[in-house]
Amino acid sequence: MDLLKEKILKEGKVLSDTVLKVDSFLNHQIDPLLMKEIGEEFANRFKDEVITKVLTIESSGIAPATMLGLSIGAQVVFARKKKSLTLSGDLYTSQVYSFTKRETNEISVSKDFLSPDDNVVIIDDFLANGEAVKGLLDIAKQAGCKVVGVGIVIEKGFQNGGKMLREQGVRVESLAIIKSLKNNTIEFAE
Amino acid sequence: MDLLKEKILKEGKVLSDTVLKVDSFLNHQIDPLLMKEIGEEFANRFKDEVITKVLTIESSGIAPATMLGLSIGAQVVFARKKKSLTLSGDLYTSQVYSFTKRETNEISVSKDFLSPDDNVVIIDDFLANGEAVKGLLDIAKQAGCKVVGVGIVIEKGFQNGGKMLREQGVRVESLAIIKSLKNNTIEFAE
């Protein structure tokens, strides 16, 4: 997705060989028009599938997932990293380790919002080691959903999450795949 | 906003005299089309103001804030409740007590994304005691922004946040104001 790659080149900051900061449009400040284009691009990538629900995880997955949901007319569910007083009742849960926050979170989705009738696309902002997506796949499996694929805004192609998922037969659609961040330079995969 | 009130009456669950669960369209599952309508309604309420930035807090404020941003062509910034590796550099911070999660969070916004030139609207899903909005107002004040108003999806009119803010001269636009949740019944203010 050229618009996204241009934005990454223009505003992304390489913090190390493995960390790319895109806080100006995706993870802290959000560019709503870009999110709309991203939602429409995901819709286009999965246009051969009937999608009944978009599954993501708080917080940075919410904006692109909501724009995909708007584009295809599907409801969006975001997994919670913490329990709140109103997240009660029966829950699907899974364990997710976050390398950027250096902690394990138990993520939860209410059983009210995923069922065996659902065809789900999983959306997230970044794919690195694939921990968050693995947790969401686990929750979808517990719910008996069919997962039609995974949509990622930025995949770090030099980490193993994408390879691991594709080897398991999961369809992964990444809008930008970064090959390397070495020498303070952002290099995309073809 | 009639569409929102109908949705609250149809899907909202009264958990106690003070807690309303709207997990099916706002706090856990998100209805993207309703969020778009909510964003457009906020844009309409604030149409007499020039807004350069929408400020909210993760996670449930993100979807309505992004839709407002899309509607008016403004960037959205969401305050973080936790620090991540990539949220580095100079931060504005404030303390926010959450009654639903029974904990105090330090919320943070990077100094990169708010400046004295900004005219800000603050968006949140719920207004109860006003703790989150107070924290966001504090951050906007630290940044030297002008806050043109606060947009709330659901205000609990029987709690003191709305009164406290309006007495301070803050413009509060709530799309639905709940007068009472007593007797397991949702009653709206006029």
Side-chain angles (χ1 to χ4, degrees):
Chain A
M1 188 182 174
D2 291 342
L3 185 67
L4 173 63
K5 288 182 186 172
E6 285 163 22
K7 191 86 169 176
I8 292 168
L9 289 175
K10 195 175 160 204
E11 299 187 16
K13 287 176 188 160
V14 179
L15 297 191
S16 74
D17 282 2
T18 57
V19 179
L20 175 69
K21 184 172 171 173
V22 287
D23 272 11
S24 68
F25 61 88
L26 184 60
N27 299 127
H28 184 29
Q29 183 165 259
I30 294 171
D31 182 333
L33 193 57
L34 179 64
M35 293 303 123
K36 182 165 177 278
E37 302 271 353
I38 283 171
E40 288 168 1
E41 177 66 18
F42 282 135
N44 187 49
R45 299 270 185 119
F46 290 106
K47 65 174 186 276
D48 54 326
E49 300 279 1
V50 176
I51 299 164
T52 64
K53 204 147 282 193
V54 180
L55 178 62
T56 188
I57 185 166
E58 60 182 349
S59 293
S60 298
I62 293 175
T66 301
M67 291 302 181
L68 170 58
L70 184 67
S71 186
I72 62 176
Q75 302 289 298
V76 175
V77 179
F78 65 90
R80 286 269 185 197
K81 289 176 183 168
K82 275 196 182 176
K83 297 204 174 67
S84 87
L85 273 188
T86 61
L87 184 57
S88 53
D90 279 348
L91 301 174
Y92 303 113
T93 63
S94 191
Q95 304 298 318
V96 172
Y97 180 73
S98 165
F99 286 87
T100 47
K101 291 190 177 172
R102 294 180 184 136
E103 63 184 18
T104 297
N105 289 297
E106 185 177 80
I107 65 169
S108 315
V109 171
S110 166
K111 291 189 178 177
D112 291 344
F113 304 126
L114 286 177
S115 84
D117 296 333
D118 280 318
N119 282 354
V120 171
V121 166
I122 291 171
I123 295 292
D124 208 3
D125 57 335
F126 268 98
L127 176 63
N129 296 290
E131 295 296 312
V133 170
K134 271 196 326 198
L136 294 171
L137 283 168
D138 180 31
I139 281 176
K141 190 179 173 187
Q142 292 174 45
C145 304
K146 182 185 171 196
V147 175
V148 304
V150 174
I152 298 293
V153 181
I154 303 174
E155 177 179 342
K156 291 177 179 172
F158 53 87
Q159 288 180 301
N160 67 357
K163 186 166 181 283
M164 179 261 300
L165 292 170
R166 290 181 182 101
E167 282 178 359
Q168 290 174 16
V170 177
R171 178 178 176 188
V172 181
E173 295 285 349
S174 299
L175 304 190
I177 301 179
I178 291 169
K179 189 176 171 185
S180 167
L181 294 172
K182 284 182 184 162
N183 305 315
N184 202 28
T185 303
I186 300 166
E187 192 185 343
F188 293 108
E190 288 309 303
Chain B
M1 187 182 173
D2 290 342
L3 186 67
L4 172 64
K5 288 182 185 172
E6 285 162 21
K7 191 86 168 176
I8 293 169
L9 289 176
K10 195 174 160 203
E11 299 187 16
K13 287 175 188 160
V14 179
L15 297 191
S16 74
D17 283 1
T18 58
V19 180
L20 174 70
K21 183 172 171 171
V22 287
D23 272 11
S24 68
F25 61 89
L26 184 60
N27 298 127
H28 184 29
Q29 182 165 261
I30 294 171
D31 181 333
L33 193 56
L34 179 64
M35 291 305 123
K36 182 166 177 280
E37 303 271 352
I38 283 171
E40 288 168 0
E41 177 66 18
F42 282 135
N44 186 49
R45 299 270 185 120
F46 289 106
K47 66 174 185 277
D48 53 327
E49 299 279 1
V50 175
I51 299 165
T52 64
K53 204 147 282 191
V54 179
L55 178 63
T56 188
I57 184 165
E58 60 182 348
S59 291
S60 298
I62 293 175
T66 302
M67 291 301 182
L68 169 58
L70 185 67
S71 187
I72 61 175
Q75 303 289 297
V76 175
V77 178
F78 65 90
R80 287 267 184 199
K81 289 177 182 167
K82 273 196 186 177
K83 296 203 173 68
S84 87
L85 273 189
T86 60
L87 184 59
S88 52
D90 279 347
L91 301 174
Y92 302 114
T93 63
S94 191
Q95 306 297 318
V96 172
Y97 180 73
S98 165
F99 287 86
T100 46
K101 292 189 176 171
R102 293 180 186 138
E103 64 185 19
T104 297
N105 290 295
E106 184 177 80
I107 67 169
S108 315
V109 171
S110 165
K111 291 189 178 178
D112 290 344
F113 304 127
L114 286 178
S115 84
D117 295 334
D118 280 319
N119 282 353
V120 171
V121 164
I122 291 171
I123 295 292
D124 207 3
D125 57 335
F126 268 97
L127 176 62
N129 295 289
E131 293 297 313
V133 170
K134 270 196 325 199
L136 294 170
L137 283 168
D138 180 31
I139 281 176
K141 189 178 173 186
Q142 291 174 46
C145 303
K146 182 186 170 193
V147 175
V148 304
V150 174
I152 298 294
V153 181
I154 303 174
E155 177 179 342
K156 292 177 179 173
F158 54 86
Q159 288 180 302
N160 67 355
K163 186 166 180 284
M164 179 260 302
L165 292 169
R166 291 180 182 101
E167 282 178 359
Q168 289 174 15
V170 177
R171 178 177 175 186
V172 181
E173 294 285 348
S174 299
L175 305 190
I177 302 179
I178 291 169
K179 189 176 170 184
S180 166
L181 294 172
K182 285 184 183 161
N183 305 316
N184 201 29
T185 303
I186 300 166
E187 191 184 344
F188 292 108
E190 289 307 303

